[in-house]
Amino acid sequence: QVQLVESGGGLVQPGGSLRLSCAASGSFFSLYDMGWYRQAPGNQRELVATITSSDSPIYTDSVKGRFTISRDNAKNMVYLQMNSLEPKDTAVYYCNAKRPWDPSGGSWGQGTQVTVSL
C-alpha cells in the first residue's frame, strides 16, 4: 500500500514543457512498478508511460520521443518530463503504483491537470 500525490501540472503553450512529479508515501517503494496515465474529458484513462522496479520504461506511441519517465527510489519519487507538448496531451495525469504480482489496479494519486493551449 502506497499513497501518491502528483504535482507539476498547469497551462503551457504548444511546444512547451512540463515536468510532473509523483511523491509516494509507504514502504518498499522500489519494489513497485510505477506509471503515468492520463484522462481527457469524455475519454477513457490511458497509459502514458510505465517504469518497472528494474528501471525499464515503456511509452505509448503518441508520446515516444517527447516524454521521459524516471524514478528516484531514494526519494520515493517518479517523474514525467514532457517536452514538445501538443493540445492532444491535454488531460488529467495520474500516477499509479502497482506490485508486479498484484491483480488489482494498484494505488492512484489524485491527478494533476495539464492543459496545452494558446
Side-chain angles (χ1 to χ4, degrees), residues 34-37 46-51 57-60 63 67-69 80:
M34 303 298 299
W36 287 97
Y37 295 72
E46 65 171 343
L47 182 145
V48 177
T50 62
I51 185 165
I58 298 174
Y59 302 94
T60 192
V63 308
F67 291 10
T68 303
I69 188 171
L80 185 68

Side-chain angles (χ1 to χ4, degrees), residues 5-74:
V5 179
E6 303 96 333
S7 62
L11 176 64
V12 63
Q13 294 182 350
S17 298
L18 284 174
R19 188 196 194 199
L20 304 184
S21 298
C22 174
S25 299
S27 300
F28 307 110
F29 171 77
S30 63
L31 301 181
Y32 285 81
D33 294 336
M34 303 298 299
W36 287 97
Y37 295 72
R38 66 187 180 188
Q39 186 169 22
N43 292 73
Q44 295 183 332
R45 188 171 299 185
E46 65 171 343
L47 182 145
V48 177
T50 62
I51 185 165
T52 67
S53 60
S54 59
D55 213 31
S56 297
I58 298 174
Y59 302 94
T60 192
D61 287 342
S62 63
V63 308
K64 287 180 179 177
R66 300 189 297 123
F67 291 10
T68 303
I69 188 171
S70 61
R71 67 191 298 163
D72 186 339
N73 290 337

Side-chain angles (χ1 to χ4, degrees), residues 98-106:
K98 180 180 177 298
R99 296 291 195 97
W101 44 262
D102 189 352
S104 74

